[in-house]
Amino acid sequence: MPEPTKKDETENESAPPPPEKTTPQEGGNEKGKDVVIREMTSSSDEDDTSVSTPPADGMSKPAERKDSVWSLGEGAPEESEKRDDTQRSTLFIEKPQSGTVSVGGNITFIAKVEAKDLLRKPNVKWFKGKWMDLASKAGKHLQLKESFERHTKIHTFEMQIIKAKENYAGNYRCEVSYKDKFDSCSFDLEVTESSQAAPSIDIRSAFKRREIKQQEEEPEVDVWELLKNANPSEYEKIAFQYGITDLRGMLKRLKRMRREVKKSAAFAKGLDPAYQVDKGGKVRFMVELADPTVELKWYKNGQEIRPSAKYIFEHKGNQRILFINNCTMTDDARYYVTAGDEKCSTELFVRDPPILVTKGLEDTSTYVGERVELSCEVSEDDANVKWFRNGVELSNDPKSRYRIKVEGKKHTLIIEEAAKNDTATYSVMTTGGQSEAKLSVDLRPLKISLALEDQTVRLGQEIHLKCEISENVEGKWYKNGQLIEASDRVKLYHKGRIHRFIIPVSAVDDEGEYMFVPDAYNINIPCKVHIVDPPKLHLDGLGENNTVTVVAGNKLRLEIPISGEPPPKVFWSRGDKMVTDSGRIRAETYPDSSCLVIDAAERDDSGPFRITLKNEAGEDTALINIKVVDVPDPPQAPNVTEVGEDWCIMTWEPPANDGGSPLLGYFIERKKKQSSRWMRLNFELCKETTFEPKKMIEGVAYEVRVFAVNAIGMSKPSMPSKSFVPLAVTSPPTLLAVDTVTDTTVTMKWRPPDQIGAAGLDGYVVEYCFEGTDEWIVANPELTDKTKFTISGLPTGSKILVRVKAVNAAGESEPKYYPQPILVKEVIEPPKIRLPRHLKQTYTRRVGETVNLVIPFQGKPRAKVSWEKNGSPIDKNEINIRNTENDTIIFIRKAERGHSGEYDMKVEVENLVDKATIDIQIVDRPGPPEVVTIEDVWGENVNLSWKPPKDDGNAAITGYTIQKADKKSMEWFTVIEHYHRTSATINELVIGNEYYFRIFAENMCGLSEDATMTKESALIAKDGKVYKYPVYDDFDFSERPLFTQPLVNTFAVAGYNATLNCSVRGNPKPKITWMKNKVLIMNDPRYRMFSNQGVCTLEIRKPSPYDGGTYSCRAVNELGEAEVECKLEVRVIYHGVINPGEPLSLAGDNQLHSGLSFFRLLMDGVPPHIIDSYMREVQGDKTEGK
């Protein structure tokens, strides 16, 4: 009998290919039919094919068929979701073809897929019928193979059926899918009887005779009618009983049969809704036509049926009959007949013969734990058989204790280890019969092979109880009547007939009566366990050598854990003397510990104490060392061995007694001698007996003391050290330099030390040595408190090295050396005039102002200075000249215009001469302009003209100021100021008034004292008089470039910005370019060029000696060009000397350090207040030297 279909749409077969009969849906497709059958989830809709009326040419084409969706026990609507045909694509290049094989023969179906456009292997599935996936059925009767040809890129898939059986016949399907592509192909397998087969016999009647339970002949059952009238909950039972493998397909077909009840005009009598026939039988389809002339065609699953030996057509009047002989599972399908445009359909169900029980179950008796096998045989190999226990179906779940074994026709139910509750009635059921038997499981008689023994166990050791019984049954352990469960501490073992009880580490509470009771038996096996524990001292918490340390004065309470069963007695002793339970030193005993108590521990309490434990199981003893520790004794008074500016070095000896604990270090304190406040010097322990206190005040007396520290604490302080005072020598003198050198003497000067300290400064020692020797000679046997000293008595031409030391109460400082040997010989320095920058151009002053010019120079010895004015000697009655060794001063108390001119300065040293020229210009206010004339009067305007003044005040006229006055009031009002031309037009005069005008001349000193007034007045006439404007020619303002102020030769100090200035005019405005040594200056960040109102400036940023040279400025416009040039000298200052290699001047009242004068420093950019301060200091040194 066929196996029932489950709700999850899968087949429960044990061996492939499936031996059950297929339903019409599985086997109804003919050869060559292209039908897509797609497996969905168990709850999704299924799409089948439907057939439309064949075309007029008689050729049938497959078309879609709408099937309703069924779940067990429920109906479904008429319309279901259609398959999305857009997902279908042709992947097969060769499809499997239908075939025929004899029983016991082999057949292979091949499908090929081209992989040219596929990135990976496609997914291929083989099905039998609609739902059965054959991948899980592969075995000795079914093999699935696949291969890939790399050259042609073709995947080949094969399904091979080996030793085919008759029930293998039916409809098969191959599906291939890749991503969103899908293709499917159906094909049929027909299994025929072998030509050598024996004559057919009535197998059913033979099976029925061999059934254990004889069944009476029953009338033929119409499955269709049975399903129509059955409750949905009975569908599965009916499907199993009548061999329906595609229950869902049957229900769909049944639903469709219920709908097709409409009357037809072409058919007087149509087909019945359904037919059923046994496999191998014959079925007859008959319709009656209303018009016998209408052409009639028969179809099976959309394929037209042609007359053959299997299909026989008959015509009887209006009746048309189709006979189908020797029905197989492939004939299970939907059939319909067409007459014109109408059709009539039916369903054919081909039933498999029922599976009969040929050898029934037998009653069995066994014992608990034995293996049980209940076997039966059925009429077909690999048939679907169900097992029941007391009427409840047994599943072949791997987790189930029941295992079902199938060997061909033999089916066996196996119970590996039978239990008493396995006693029941077991039955087996097939589609054609059933058999049952009783299983009885009893207990074996129990015998005790090894009984439990009483045990005495030491505390902490293992308790191991073991017994052995004759049967392999479970059991329970009890202690003092209480059930014992397995835990991390208690281990229960059962292996076969042996039972063990193990406690790895025993405890006192484990003592008692134990008992083992086997399950299902009224027997117990008892024993007793006795726990024994000798006394023991637990000294794990004590230190090395059982030493206990206590601080003197503290209370000691030493608790020693003890154990023993029964509880032991405790004895404490010190030497030969027992420690009682009272007094300052006493013993206290508790059930699990003993305490040694010492109140207010003393150093004499140190020593060994003995503790002894005794009980009936034995004794234990131990020595405990008590160590009483205290703070150390104070160290001896420290000694100060060395003293510095703000530090000292102190040492001390360790204390005689360390208090019983090793010294950890020392703390140091200090205080001022007159103070009582001590200050801690170190916050981390000093490990050594030497320390260096720092940051003391120089000249103040201090005392220090020391504390010793051990693990207990800090000792009392030591006695203070002797008082000491930190003192330090001064730093070396500074700025040691040569003042003067003669043929026999060298005068040195220096500055006091930067740091003198509290010890003060007593004086200086000057030492020298001759070059090439190491012998230093003291030049001053007695200290000198001056910062200048002359070393005398030196041989002419010798070279000496000089050093100076500062001396105070702490000793001599480090010497200050002069860096190079000094030649004892007077040096000639060539003359050099250091003309200030502002005197290199015209020096301008107003009449009455004071002229005081200081010009520094250098030259040795005895430089001679002379002055001339415009080539003639200077009149000393009008101009005062004062000369020194380093500079010369020209002084004019009240300057007059007659003092203007060129002053020539000359400095001579022997045959060497240097010259310089100074241009002095004394200016005054100009005189008034000459004649002022009224040139014309018209309207409200007056045109004036005048001549420049005869006396311009020794300065250029910068403009004119014009005033007007009404003739009636003669009050003067300024009309125009700073006017540059000598003619002007006065506008906006009042008509009818008469005006006088006057003009002042102006230069850099201001307006002229007097003004020139017009001799005549100008009358502004009223209207009526027509003024005739004169005709003027346009004035040509074009002018070629002209430098009004040329460049001047100058020098610059290296590192300080320098500027070159000149002025130019021209129209159109000329283009200005700068050149250095005739090379155009362009895009150089060291230079900046400015031009404002005709004034051209070149700024040189921080020049170096390489920036010296000839600079020129060129102005160019369309009328011509002009060029001026000058020389620039860049000088470098080396430690106050303008140029290296030049001798220094060493004379003069205004002489500064290293031969620099006030004016030289001023030219070098030193602020005046600093120079003035330094001059006063140098002057003071000179006064002290005198």
Side-chain angles (χ1 to χ4, degrees), residues 9 42 44-46 67-76 232 235 247-256 258-259:
E9 305 294 340
S42 60
S44 61
D45 295 340
E46 307 296 334
D67 281 2
S68 59
V69 180
W70 279 82
S71 62
L72 295 181
E74 296 180 356
Y235 284 165
L247 177 61
R248 177 167 294 194
M250 290 286 290
L251 295 176
K252 288 182 181 179
R253 292 158 70 182
L254 181 63
K255 183 69 175 179
R256 186 166 56 246
R258 291 175 178 174
R259 292 196 306 266

Side-chain angles (χ1 to χ4, degrees), residues 671-930:
K671 75 176 182 67
K672 296 177 183 179
K673 184 177 181 181
Q674 304 300 328
S675 174
S676 59
R677 179 187 175 196
W678 290 91
M679 181 176 69
R680 176 71 57 83
L681 298 182
N682 62 319
F683 294 97
E684 293 184 1
L685 289 174
C686 176
K687 306 295 184 180
E688 307 295 335
T689 57
T690 301
F691 189 75
E692 182 180 350
K694 295 181 180 180
K695 297 183 180 180
M696 292 184 286
I697 302 174
E698 188 177 2
V700 177
Y702 288 90
E703 293 178 350
V704 292
R705 66 181 183 183
V706 182
F707 295 84
V709 180
N710 64 4
I712 309 305
M714 186 169 61
S715 70
K716 295 181 180 180
S718 68
M719 295 299 293
S721 67
K722 295 181 181 180
S723 62
F724 62 93
V725 179
L727 290 175
V729 297
T730 66
S731 61
T734 60
L735 300 177
L736 178 61
V738 177
D739 189 22
T740 59
V741 179
T742 66
D743 290 340
T744 59
T745 64
V746 173
T747 301
M748 306 298 296
K749 62 180 181 178
W750 60 89
R751 297 294 299 160
D754 292 335
Q755 298 178 359
I756 295 178
L761 179 62
D762 296 337
Y764 301 94
V765 174
V766 181
E767 297 177 343
Y768 69 93
C769 74
F770 292 99
E771 186 179 24
T773 65
D774 296 332
E775 181 183 358
W776 289 93
I777 302 171
V778 179
N780 55 330
E782 296 182 359
L783 296 177
T784 177
D785 57 351
K786 308 297 183 181
T787 58
K788 188 174 183 181
F789 186 80
T790 300
I791 305 173
S792 58
L794 300 174
T796 303
S798 63
K799 292 185 178 180
I800 63 172
L801 298 174
V802 181
R803 68 183 184 185
V804 180
K805 299 178 182 178
V807 181
N808 67 358
E812 295 181 349
S813 69
E814 293 291 328
K816 176 66 176 180
Y817 291 88
Y818 189 74
Q820 54 193 3
I822 303 172
L823 178 63
V824 184
K825 184 178 180 181
E826 193 168 7
V827 180
I828 297 176
E829 181 180 359
K832 183 70 174 179
I833 300 174
R834 303 296 184 183
L835 192 64
R837 184 179 301 177
H838 67 283
L839 296 181
K840 293 182 180 181
Q841 299 178 359
T842 301
Y843 183 76
T844 304
R845 281 292 180 269
R846 295 185 181 184
V847 174
E849 292 182 347
T850 300
V851 177
N852 187 8
L853 302 179
V854 180
I855 299 92
F857 64 86
Q858 64 185 32
K860 292 181 181 180
R862 296 172 295 279
K864 181 180 178 181
V865 182
S866 60
W867 285 89
E868 291 182 354
K869 175 186 176 185
N870 296 329
S872 301
I874 294 177
D875 186 0
K876 295 185 178 180
N877 294 328
E878 296 181 0
I879 301 174
N880 296 324
I881 301 296
R882 180 185 176 187
N883 297 324
T884 67
E885 293 181 356
N886 297 323
D887 54 28
T888 180
I889 300 174
I890 180 170
F891 180 77
I892 304 173
R893 188 173 300 277
K894 290 186 178 181
E896 298 179 358
R897 291 175 63 177
H899 293 148
S900 300
E902 291 185 355
Y903 292 76
D904 297 323
M905 175 185 174
K906 182 171 65 175
V907 179
E908 295 177 297
V909 175
E910 295 184 357
N911 296 328
L912 302 175
V913 180
D914 192 15
K915 296 180 180 181
T917 301
I918 300 174
D919 186 6
I920 299 177
Q921 182 180 5
I922 308 300
V923 298
D924 197 3
R925 290 195 292 179
E930 294 190 18

Side-chain angles (χ1 to χ4, degrees), residues 230-261:
N231 192 297
S233 61
E234 299 179 356
Y235 284 165
E236 284 195 5
K237 182 178 180 181
I238 296 173
F240 173 76
Q241 186 175 357
Y242 293 97
I244 301 174
T245 58
D246 187 9
L247 177 61
R248 177 167 294 194
M250 290 286 290
L251 295 176
K252 288 182 181 179
R253 292 158 70 182
L254 181 63
K255 183 69 175 179
R256 186 166 56 246
M257 289 164 47
R258 291 175 178 174
R259 292 196 306 266
E260 295 175 356
V261 295

Side-chain angles (χ1 to χ4, degrees), residues 5 135 193 295 433 503 511 532 542 576 629 743 774 823 884 890 910 924 1142 1151-1152 1181:
T5 302
E193 294 289 343
E295 182 180 2
I503 299 178
E511 184 173 344
V532 176
L542 300 183
D576 297 334
V629 296
D743 290 340
D774 296 332
L823 178 63
T884 67
I890 180 170
E910 295 184 357
D924 197 3
E1142 296 180 355
Q1151 179 68 33
L1152 300 183
D1181 293 342

Side-chain angles (χ1 to χ4, degrees), residues 9-60:
E9 305 294 340
T10 60
E11 302 294 336
N12 187 17
E13 293 294 329
S14 60
E20 75 280 0
K21 298 297 182 177
T22 58
T23 64
Q25 288 293 343
E26 295 172 343
N29 292 337
E30 292 293 335
K31 178 179 179 181
K33 178 182 177 184
D34 187 12
V35 182
V36 177
I37 306 176
R38 184 175 183 182
E39 180 177 353
M40 308 295 286
T41 60
S42 60
S43 60
S44 61
D45 295 340
E46 307 296 334
D47 295 330
D48 291 334
T49 58
S50 62
V51 180
S52 60
T53 303
D57 59 0
M59 299 300 292
S60 61

Side-chain angles (χ1 to χ4, degrees), residues 359-365 373-376 435-439:
K359 182 179 179 181
L361 301 175
E362 296 179 357
D363 294 340
T364 305
S365 297
E373 292 187 2
L374 300 178
S375 300
C376 70
S435 176
E436 67 179 23
K438 292 183 179 180
L439 174 63

Side-chain angles (χ1 to χ4, degrees), residues 1011-1051:
T1012 302
M1013 190 176 68
T1014 57
K1015 296 181 180 180
E1016 299 177 355
S1017 63
L1019 176 62
I1020 306 304
K1022 295 183 179 180
D1023 294 340
K1025 181 180 179 180
V1026 179
Y1027 176 78
K1028 183 178 180 181
Y1029 290 92
V1031 178
Y1032 298 98
D1033 295 331
D1034 292 335
F1035 185 82
D1036 186 11
F1037 292 93
S1038 300
E1039 182 182 11
R1040 64 179 296 165
L1042 175 64
F1043 282 91
T1044 59
Q1045 177 65 40
L1047 294 172
V1048 179
N1049 294 339
T1050 184
F1051 78 93

Side-chain angles (χ1 to χ4, degrees), residues 1112-1127:
S1112 54
C1113 179
R1114 178 182 295 173
V1116 180
N1117 68 4
E1118 60 189 19
L1119 298 180
E1121 67 179 39
E1123 183 175 345
V1124 292
E1125 65 181 19
C1126 70
K1127 292 184 179 180

